Amino acid sequence: MVHFVGAGPGAPDLITLRGARLLAEADVVVYAGSLVNPALLAQCRDGCAVYNSAGMTLDEVLAVLLAADAAGQQAVRLHTGDGALYGAIREQMDALSARGVAYDVTPGVSSLFGAAAALGAEFTLPGVSQSLIVTRLPGRTAVPEGEALRELAKHGASMALFLSAGMLEKTQAQLLAGGCDPDTPAALVYRATWPDERIVRCTVGTLARAGEAAGITKTALILVGRFLDAPYEKSKLYDPSFTTGFREGKP
Ligand code: SAH
């Protein structure tokens, strides 16, 4: 059987208990070496065959997973963060399904939550934003026209931009073109939850300059929105005067 496992954002103890158990029991592990912290591999048992997919094609990855399954072994495909975000897991699952190979999926802590934790931020502040837009700039993978950053920026919602830290000029220009105020707070979080994590706080208007000054071009998330510094309203849920199914409010 094949297990797709989210490795979490970096720190080896941010994998889920289930993911850690599957990793410890695996006969074969294929990990996304460009981003998964190799320290996680210390959790593999002696004799586990480990492959780094950074230098492999889809067919090569599938060949390893299929061979393991055919031999009755447990294979773990270890993806950074949560595999459901920019993880290219669907193409692997479909290929396994087409060959009648069983698989399951264990979610992981996405780097977007690792970055929020590093910043002490909450994406959904009452009175500020109740939505989070997760997107990227186009690279070799296109982004549908209706999801262009300048269009999404019009919402004024909290935003988490993946795979875009190498294009800070373009990111800044698109955000401004979408009507983002140049003073809108922004942050770059490099290698969230890794020992060398770095945080650069800036604004939309200073994003490119701040990134250049810090020398950050990859393995970083760009977070944008007033959730990073605006005054907000306290929650209704914990308001003393608010009645919920669990608590009688007092005037
Ligand atoms: N599935 C992953 C994302 C993979 S796409 C997840 O859920 O986090 C790769 C991009 O993720 C990188 O370009 C970067 O933007 C972001 N990323 C991954 N790990 C990161 C980390 N520890 N800190 C900051 N950004 C990270």
Side-chain angles (χ1 to χ4, degrees):
M1 178 154 182
V2 176
H3 308 280
F4 292 91
V5 174
D13 56 351
L14 284 178
I15 190 170
T16 64
L17 292 173
R18 187 189 299 177
R21 179 178 57 75
L22 291 168
L23 196 57
E25 291 172 0
D27 302 297
V28 175
V29 170
V30 185
Y31 74 105
S34 56
L35 283 166
V36 168
N37 189 342
L40 276 159
L41 303 173
Q43 301 178 22
C44 297
R45 63 172 182 75
D46 284 348
C48 175
V50 177
Y51 297 82
N52 178 354
S53 64
M56 298 164 76
T57 64
L58 171 61
D59 282 343
E60 287 166 348
V61 169
L62 287 171
V64 171
L65 299 177
L66 291 168
D69 182 72
Q73 296 181 319
Q74 299 298 312
V76 163
R77 177 69 171 110
L78 193 60
H79 282 275
T80 181
D82 186 292
L85 283 176
Y86 310 107
I89 59 170
R90 177 65 193 275
E91 61 194 21
Q92 299 173 72
M93 296 190 285
D94 284 349
L96 295 179
S97 295
R99 291 164 178 83
V101 171
Y103 63 82
D104 59 19
V105 183
T106 300
V109 178
S110 172
S111 60
L112 82 88
F113 297 117
L119 291 164
E122 179 177 340
F123 290 116
T124 50
L125 287 175
V128 176
S129 175
Q130 290 292 289
S131 308
L132 172 63
I133 293 174
V134 175
T135 189
R136 60 169 296 173
L137 278 195
R140 275 175 293 184
T141 303
V143 170
E145 185 50 33
E147 298 171 23
L149 186 55
R150 65 174 182 283
E151 297 299 324
L152 298 180
K154 291 178 182 165
H155 295 282
S158 304
M159 300 185 95
L161 310 182
F162 285 74
L163 297 159
S164 305
M167 298 177 275
L168 291 177
E169 293 274 5
K170 265 189 214 162
T171 303
Q172 178 172 336
Q174 290 277 303
L175 290 168
L176 293 172
C180 253
D181 191 288
D183 289 336
T184 307
L188 279 163
V189 183
Y190 171 78
R191 304 240 295 176
T193 82
W194 288 68
D196 56 351
E197 166 187 293
R198 279 198 292 151
I199 292 172
V200 177
R201 289 183 185 265
C202 56
T203 63
V204 166
T206 61
L207 181 62
R209 202 159 14 103
E212 196 187 339
I216 294 176
T217 57
K218 59 176 188 171
T219 329
L221 276 165
I222 307 163
L223 302 183
V224 179
R226 292 186 303 122
F227 74 98
L228 287 167
D229 81 347
Y232 57 91
E233 296 162 14
K234 289 204 180 129
S235 72
K236 297 274 188 278
L237 188 60
Y238 299 106
D239 184 329
S241 68
F242 203 69
T243 297
T244 74
F246 300 93
R247 186 169 59 79
E248 190 65 37
K250 301 198 176 58

